[in-house]
Amino acid sequence: MPETIKEQTVEQLGGPSSVLARQRRDHAEMDRLMDRYQTLADGEDRERVLQEIVQLVFSHAFAEETVLWPAVRRSVEDGHELTLRVEEEHQQINDLVADIERLSPGSPEREEKVRRVFALIRQDIRDEEDLVLPRLQEALPAAQLRRLGTAWDTVRRSAPTHPHPVIPRRPPGNAVLGVPLGLYDRMRDAFGLSTSMAAAKKAITGLAGVLVLVAAVAMRRKRR
């Protein structure tokens, strides 16, 4: 079994632009932010850190599901089973964060869900760094890992930053829906959710429903 990517040098991972190095940097930042959240008392700083965690986790996961996990399924013998495991973790994180965003800051129920979602994020990091990514490293040359890193970073920069129940876990459905929902999320992050933004969300969600149908038709045609 290849060595966990947590213990390798950047050069072993294929260089700083490799998808493995990019993944590990994001994982380290998630760990740092979760530790920071747990040191803060209730208040604006703590909520700001939680929002940074949410934004990073969801943009990171979307890039994985759009670019990285398809590469694992193509290149690794048991890639379907490995990616299914992390996709199930992502779905659990999605559902918990959706609940957290509906609950009042500081409430016991919300804090319990935050604790649970942090534990899931840390488990997901370990599964990826110890199980999935070493297998991809074994299967692909460094040059290809760097090309994957460039594609991963491009998707991550425009990806949704909050949970959305309408987004499928796999392409093409997630790629089709990611553009309008990513735009909405980044407007929400920048300006907050006002009445006009709520109307925008309603419109985008309606568009998302149409795009789900388009993606479903595309997938059916692809299978024929």
Side-chain angles (χ1 to χ4, degrees):
M1 179 70 183
E3 181 185 359
T4 173
I5 71 163
K6 181 178 177 63
E7 307 298 335
Q8 297 184 47
T9 66
V10 172
E11 288 71 25
Q12 286 176 307
L13 297 178
S17 64
S18 161
V19 71
L20 305 180
R22 293 177 192 268
Q23 285 275 120
R24 191 172 69 180
R25 285 198 296 270
D26 267 11
H27 290 166
E29 180 65 3
M30 290 175 201
D31 270 327
R32 185 191 72 80
L33 289 169
M34 289 187 289
D35 289 344
R36 174 68 174 151
Y37 178 88
Q38 291 169 332
T39 67
L40 295 170
D42 290 343
E44 289 185 5
D45 287 346
R46 201 170 198 235
E47 284 303 299
R48 182 166 57 250
V49 170
L50 182 60
Q51 286 307 304
E52 288 180 28
I53 294 167
V54 169
Q55 291 161 16
L56 175 57
V57 165
F58 279 88
S59 59
H60 176 96
F62 186 85
E64 288 177 336
E65 292 169 356
T66 305
V67 173
L68 191 52
W69 300 158
V72 171
R73 289 191 287 272
R74 287 192 303 269
S75 308
V76 176
E77 184 178 352
D78 54 349
H80 285 273
E81 291 76 14
L82 289 169
T83 57
L84 180 60
R85 176 171 175 164
V86 292
E87 286 167 344
E88 288 171 349
E89 291 168 348
H90 288 184
Q91 187 60 51
Q92 292 177 60
I93 292 167
N94 185 95
D95 295 344
L96 279 169
V97 173
D99 289 343
I100 289 166
E101 291 190 339
R102 288 193 290 265
L103 294 167
S104 300
S107 72
E109 182 183 2
R110 189 176 192 255
E111 286 306 304
E112 171 59 17
K113 289 182 183 291
V114 169
R115 185 194 65 77
R116 288 168 56 195
V117 86
F118 282 7
L120 273 169
I121 291 168
R122 288 192 164 106
Q123 180 60 53
D124 186 63
I125 289 171
R126 293 277 53 81
D127 286 342
E128 292 175 8
E129 293 193 355
D130 298 348
L131 300 175
V132 184
L133 297 177
R135 297 292 302 280
L136 184 68
Q137 181 184 33
E138 187 179 47
L140 297 181
Q144 195 164 344
L145 292 172
R146 289 191 289 271
R147 288 194 293 272
L148 270 176
T150 300
W152 176 94
D153 187 61
T154 300
V155 170
R156 181 184 171 284
R157 288 176 182 275
S158 60
T161 56
H162 291 273
H164 294 284
V166 296
I167 296 187
R169 298 256 75 92
R170 295 190 176 189
N174 62 348
V176 170
L177 294 175
V179 173
L181 292 174
L183 174 62
Y184 163 71
D185 280 352
R186 289 165 192 276
M187 291 173 65
R188 172 185 174 181
D189 294 338
F191 303 112
L193 187 59
S194 65
T195 302
S196 60
M197 285 296 292
K201 181 176 184 180
K202 185 176 180 181
I204 289 171
T205 302
L207 174 61
V210 173
L211 292 174
V212 166
L213 293 176
V214 171
V217 170
M219 285 187 286
R220 287 184 65 184
R221 288 179 176 174
K222 186 177 180 180
R223 294 190 192 108
R224 292 176 182 174

Short mmCIF file of all heavy atoms in Angstrom, two decimals, residues 200-223:
data_model
loop_
_atom_site.label_atom_id
_atom_site.label_comp_id
_atom_site.label_asym_id
_atom_site.label_seq_id
_atom_site.Cartn_x
_atom_site.Cartn_y
_atom_site.Cartn_z
N ALA A 200 -33.27 36.09 -5.59
CA ALA A 200 -32.31 35.51 -6.54
C ALA A 200 -32.15 34.02 -6.30
O ALA A 200 -32.07 33.23 -7.23
CB ALA A 200 -30.97 36.23 -6.40
N LYS A 201 -32.12 33.64 -5.02
CA LYS A 201 -31.97 32.22 -4.72
C LYS A 201 -33.16 31.43 -5.26
O LYS A 201 -33.01 30.33 -5.79
CB LYS A 201 -31.84 32.01 -3.22
CG LYS A 201 -31.66 30.53 -2.86
CD LYS A 201 -31.43 30.33 -1.39
CE LYS A 201 -31.15 28.86 -1.10
NZ LYS A 201 -30.92 28.57 0.31
N LYS A 202 -34.36 31.98 -5.11
CA LYS A 202 -35.56 31.30 -5.61
C LYS A 202 -35.46 31.10 -7.11
O LYS A 202 -35.76 30.02 -7.64
CB LYS A 202 -36.80 32.11 -5.24
CG LYS A 202 -38.10 31.41 -5.62
CD LYS A 202 -39.28 32.23 -5.15
CE LYS A 202 -40.60 31.54 -5.53
NZ LYS A 202 -41.76 32.34 -5.09
N ALA A 203 -35.01 32.14 -7.81
CA ALA A 203 -34.89 32.04 -9.26
C ALA A 203 -33.82 31.02 -9.66
O ALA A 203 -34.02 30.20 -10.55
CB ALA A 203 -34.53 33.41 -9.85
N ILE A 204 -32.68 31.06 -8.95
CA ILE A 204 -31.60 30.14 -9.28
C ILE A 204 -32.00 28.70 -8.98
O ILE A 204 -31.67 27.78 -9.72
CB ILE A 204 -30.32 30.54 -8.51
CG1 ILE A 204 -29.76 31.84 -9.09
CG2 ILE A 204 -29.26 29.46 -8.59
CD1 ILE A 204 -28.65 32.44 -8.29
N THR A 205 -32.71 28.50 -7.86
CA THR A 205 -33.15 27.16 -7.52
C THR A 205 -34.09 26.61 -8.59
O THR A 205 -34.04 25.44 -8.96
CB THR A 205 -33.85 27.14 -6.15
OG1 THR A 205 -32.94 27.65 -5.18
CG2 THR A 205 -34.28 25.74 -5.76
N GLY A 206 -34.96 27.50 -9.14
CA GLY A 206 -35.82 27.08 -10.24
C GLY A 206 -35.01 26.69 -11.46
O GLY A 206 -35.28 25.68 -12.11
N LEU A 207 -34.00 27.49 -11.75
CA LEU A 207 -33.11 27.17 -12.87
C LEU A 207 -32.39 25.85 -12.62
O LEU A 207 -32.23 25.03 -13.53
CB LEU A 207 -32.08 28.30 -13.05
CG LEU A 207 -30.97 28.06 -14.08
CD1 LEU A 207 -31.57 27.85 -15.47
CD2 LEU A 207 -29.98 29.21 -14.07
N ALA A 208 -31.98 25.65 -11.36
CA ALA A 208 -31.29 24.40 -11.02
C ALA A 208 -32.16 23.19 -11.32
O ALA A 208 -31.68 22.17 -11.80
CB ALA A 208 -30.89 24.41 -9.54
N GLY A 209 -33.46 23.30 -11.03
CA GLY A 209 -34.36 22.19 -11.32
C GLY A 209 -34.40 21.86 -12.80
O GLY A 209 -34.39 20.69 -13.19
N VAL A 210 -34.41 22.91 -13.62
CA VAL A 210 -34.39 22.70 -15.07
C VAL A 210 -33.09 22.03 -15.49
O VAL A 210 -33.06 21.10 -16.29
CB VAL A 210 -34.57 24.04 -15.81
CG1 VAL A 210 -34.38 23.86 -17.31
CG2 VAL A 210 -35.95 24.62 -15.52
N LEU A 211 -31.97 22.50 -14.91
CA LEU A 211 -30.68 21.96 -15.29
C LEU A 211 -30.51 20.51 -14.85
O LEU A 211 -29.81 19.74 -15.50
CB LEU A 211 -29.56 22.82 -14.70
CG LEU A 211 -29.46 24.23 -15.31
CD1 LEU A 211 -28.42 25.05 -14.56
CD2 LEU A 211 -29.12 24.17 -16.78
N VAL A 212 -31.14 20.14 -13.73
CA VAL A 212 -31.12 18.74 -13.31
C VAL A 212 -31.75 17.87 -14.39
O VAL A 212 -31.25 16.80 -14.74
CB VAL A 212 -31.85 18.55 -11.97
CG1 VAL A 212 -32.13 17.08 -11.71
CG2 VAL A 212 -31.03 19.10 -10.83
N LEU A 213 -32.88 18.33 -14.95
CA LEU A 213 -33.54 17.58 -16.00
C LEU A 213 -32.65 17.47 -17.23
O LEU A 213 -32.55 16.42 -17.86
CB LEU A 213 -34.88 18.24 -16.37
CG LEU A 213 -35.96 18.19 -15.29
CD1 LEU A 213 -37.18 18.98 -15.75
CD2 LEU A 213 -36.35 16.75 -14.98
N VAL A 214 -31.98 18.59 -17.58
CA VAL A 214 -31.08 18.59 -18.73
C VAL A 214 -29.95 17.58 -18.51
O VAL A 214 -29.60 16.80 -19.40
CB VAL A 214 -30.50 20.00 -18.97
CG1 VAL A 214 -29.39 19.95 -20.03
CG2 VAL A 214 -31.61 20.95 -19.40
N ALA A 215 -29.38 17.59 -17.29
CA ALA A 215 -28.29 16.67 -16.98
C ALA A 215 -28.77 15.23 -17.05
O ALA A 215 -28.06 14.34 -17.54
CB ALA A 215 -27.72 16.98 -15.60
N ALA A 216 -29.97 14.97 -16.55
CA ALA A 216 -30.51 13.61 -16.57
C ALA A 216 -30.70 13.11 -18.00
O ALA A 216 -30.37 11.96 -18.31
CB ALA A 216 -31.84 13.56 -15.82
N VAL A 217 -31.20 13.99 -18.86
CA VAL A 217 -31.37 13.62 -20.27
C VAL A 217 -30.01 13.33 -20.91
O VAL A 217 -29.85 12.36 -21.65
CB VAL A 217 -32.11 14.74 -21.03
CG1 VAL A 217 -32.07 14.47 -22.53
CG2 VAL A 217 -33.55 14.84 -20.55
N ALA A 218 -29.01 14.19 -20.59
CA ALA A 218 -27.67 14.00 -21.15
C ALA A 218 -27.08 12.66 -20.72
O ALA A 218 -26.46 11.95 -21.52
CB ALA A 218 -26.76 15.15 -20.72
N MET A 219 -27.28 12.30 -19.45
CA MET A 219 -26.74 11.03 -18.96
C MET A 219 -27.42 9.84 -19.62
O MET A 219 -26.79 8.85 -19.95
CB MET A 219 -26.88 10.97 -17.44
CG MET A 219 -25.87 11.85 -16.70
SD MET A 219 -25.90 11.62 -14.90
CE MET A 219 -27.41 12.46 -14.48
N ARG A 220 -28.73 9.95 -19.83
CA ARG A 220 -29.46 8.86 -20.48
C ARG A 220 -28.98 8.67 -21.91
O ARG A 220 -28.78 7.55 -22.38
CB ARG A 220 -30.96 9.13 -20.48
CG ARG A 220 -31.60 8.98 -19.11
CD ARG A 220 -33.08 9.16 -19.16
NE ARG A 220 -33.71 8.10 -19.95
CZ ARG A 220 -35.01 8.06 -20.22
NH1 ARG A 220 -35.82 9.02 -19.80
NH2 ARG A 220 -35.51 7.05 -20.92
N ARG A 221 -28.77 9.77 -22.62
CA ARG A 221 -28.28 9.69 -24.00
C ARG A 221 -26.88 9.09 -24.06
O ARG A 221 -26.53 8.35 -24.97
CB ARG A 221 -28.29 11.08 -24.65
CG ARG A 221 -29.69 11.57 -24.96
CD ARG A 221 -29.67 12.95 -25.56
NE ARG A 221 -31.00 13.37 -25.96
CZ ARG A 221 -31.28 14.61 -26.40
NH1 ARG A 221 -30.32 15.51 -26.50
NH2 ARG A 221 -32.53 14.92 -26.75
N LYS A 222 -26.06 9.44 -23.04
CA LYS A 222 -24.68 8.94 -23.01
C LYS A 222 -24.65 7.43 -22.86
O LYS A 222 -23.78 6.74 -23.38
CB LYS A 222 -23.94 9.62 -21.87
CG LYS A 222 -22.46 9.29 -21.83
CD LYS A 222 -21.78 10.07 -20.71
CE LYS A 222 -20.30 9.74 -20.67
NZ LYS A 222 -19.60 10.48 -19.59
N ARG A 223 -25.63 6.88 -22.10
CA ARG A 223 -25.65 5.44 -21.86
C ARG A 223 -26.08 4.64 -23.09
O ARG A 223 -25.86 3.45 -23.17
CB ARG A 223 -26.61 5.13 -20.70
CG ARG A 223 -26.14 5.67 -19.36
CD ARG A 223 -27.00 5.11 -18.24
NE ARG A 223 -26.78 5.81 -16.99
CZ ARG A 223 -27.64 6.64 -16.43
NH1 ARG A 223 -28.78 6.91 -17.04
NH2 ARG A 223 -27.36 7.23 -15.28
#
